[in-house]
Amino acid sequence: MREGRHGRTGFNHPTLAVVGERGFGFGHGQVRGLHVAAPGNNRTYVEPLPEGYQVMRGGELLLPGEVLLAPVETYTGPWLHLTHGEGIDEAADRLHQWARSLPSSPTTERPVTLNVWEAVTFDHRLPKLLALADEAARLGIERYVLDGGDATRGGCAVVGAQTRAALALMDRLRADHPGLEIESCSSGGGRIDLEMVRHTQRFWASDVIEPHERHTMLPWTEQVIPPERLGTHVASGRSQTTGRQHDLAFRASTALWGHMGVEWDLTAESQEDRDALGRWIAFYKGQRRLLLSGRIVRDEVGDGCARLHGVAARDGSAALYELAVLERGPLALQGRVRLRGLDPEARYRVRPRIIGSRPAGLIAPAWFGDDEGVVLTGAVLERVGLTAPFMHPDQAILVEAVRQ
């Protein structure tokens, strides 16, 4: 049993409670999932009953005296969302399709965003802000966000009433100002649930935006939230939150898999890095219709130190994948990379997509060729797969599949 008693979804809220066949994974094994869409206090649990049944339950966690009903009054609790599938990728896609059907759903043409928080924090002097705006426009960035950070204030409001009032305010603002987008941040990821999906257009998964950490966050956040609603920003070279330092290619590749943005001081970087960022932005714009509408594909590769993440078009015409190496594991070679989501009968040209510099330590397998790849059927790519390239940790490479 998991309980949230912080007045919001919270960081200990199970994004999706999943049970399934023994050994289920991203693409195999029947699963059933339960999500409690309660932005306030909540409870989720799984238990066996004396009769032999196993049940999944959940709901709002009401505190003593929070709701008092007269004899004829009623109270409506939060929605419980149930999903299922062959593997957790299919279960996630069912929730994504539901979220995309809502009036609150954004389009796939998500504007590339510059958020100035890590560049200036609270130092909002106009010359610096204008210089950032000019450079952002040159690189093809389409939206400018002046971020003032977080401020908190204590209070003793009743949790359920406060939550309902906040949601009603969001709806009123959207009704009065068509086109307004609202992002659910709440200390970075503290209020992510399928009730907030009805009232907001974007979610901020964490204030930690460096790519190594983001690779452990986004695959699980998108178990219920579709990529077009997840803010994914290109971080600065040295992370302000972890101190790690990463190549631009790894940072930009990580930011492709959601609503792409940039959050670093562009005016302090070299012209070479800024021009390289511009190429990544142009690539994202050319791919975002696929990235923000298709089916997600996830997998662990080899000993688990390499991870595959991708999106496949619903009509089977194309897919884009990222293979990221996050750690140095016991296996020198990570085995096979199996690409799901394709039409098994169709033939695909599969090739690496190199945007800017090649991954550090890359030893390319034979199928790379001269970066023109090979042509194979979808069935072969899923069942047999491709030899994984060797890369140093915290490196990634993109793999594109296009139907011939």
Side-chain angles (χ1 to χ4, degrees), residues 302-313:
D303 55 20
C305 292
R307 299 184 184 182
L308 182 75
H309 185 283
V311 176

Side-chain angles (χ1 to χ4, degrees), residues 74-279:
T74 62
Y75 178 80
T76 301
W79 285 96
L80 301 183
H81 292 261
L82 301 174
T83 186
H84 65 96
E86 181 67 22
I88 62 175
D89 280 357
E90 187 174 300
D93 187 60
R94 294 182 190 278
L95 295 175
H96 292 179
Q97 289 298 89
W98 171 81
R100 287 166 176 165
S101 72
L102 298 173
S104 62
S105 180
T107 70
T108 58
E109 296 300 310
R110 302 295 271 146
V112 179
T113 299
L114 175 70
N115 184 301
V116 302
W117 171 249
E118 289 207 357
V120 301
T121 59
F122 292 110
D123 186 4
H124 291 176
R125 282 177 281 190
L126 187 59
K128 179 71 170 185
L129 297 177
L130 291 176
L132 287 167
D134 289 340
E135 183 60 22
R138 188 185 74 82
L139 296 177
I141 291 173
E142 300 160 306
R143 175 182 287 172
Y144 187 100
V145 174
L146 183 62
D147 190 332
D150 295 326
T152 61
R153 179 176 299 173
C156 57
V158 175
V159 172
Q162 183 184 45
T163 301
R164 290 189 293 274
L167 298 179
L169 176 61
M170 294 177 192
D171 292 344
R172 175 63 186 272
L173 287 171
R174 289 263 298 163
D176 290 348
H177 304 280
L180 173 69
E181 288 199 7
I182 299 175
E183 179 181 75
S184 177
C185 175
S186 194
S187 303
R191 201 182 297 274
I192 294 179
D193 62 80
L194 292 179
E195 180 60 30
M196 292 300 294
V197 164
R198 297 175 181 270
H199 307 277
T200 65
Q201 290 66 54
R202 198 176 197 256
F203 290 85
W204 190 237
S206 173
D207 289 337
V208 179
I209 62 173
E210 62 104 313
H212 181 96
E213 297 292 334
R214 280 286 172 136
H215 270 92
T216 67
M217 300 174 196
L218 288 176
W220 302 112
T221 307
E222 67 181 2
Q223 188 62 41
V224 297
I225 306 297
E228 64 271 20
R229 291 178 179 261
L230 292 175
T232 53
H233 292 181
V234 183
S236 55
R238 180 175 291 279
S239 171
Q240 295 185 13
T241 51
T242 69
R244 292 193 184 103
Q245 191 161 351
H246 294 104
D247 298 338
L248 173 60
F250 186 51
R251 288 143 50 205
S253 178
T254 304
L256 290 176
W257 309 97
H259 182 191
M260 187 182 190
V262 177
E263 192 166 346
W264 48 305
D265 188 355
L266 299 175
T267 64
E269 299 303 319
S270 68
Q271 191 65 52
E272 179 182 3
D273 278 352
R274 285 182 281 176
D275 290 345
L277 176 61
R279 290 191 287 273

Side-chain angles (χ1 to χ4, degrees), residues 21-31 85-89 299 340:
E21 295 177 332
R22 186 180 300 275
F24 69 83
F26 291 108
H28 65 275
Q30 279 291 314
V31 298
E86 181 67 22
I88 62 175
D89 280 357
D299 204 1
R340 291 185 287 108

Side-chain angles (χ1 to χ4, degrees), residues 227 257 290-297 309-313 318-321:
W257 309 97
L290 165 65
L291 294 173
L292 306 182
S293 67
R295 296 184 177 91
I296 62 168
V297 177
H309 185 283
V311 176
L320 185 69
Y321 306 89

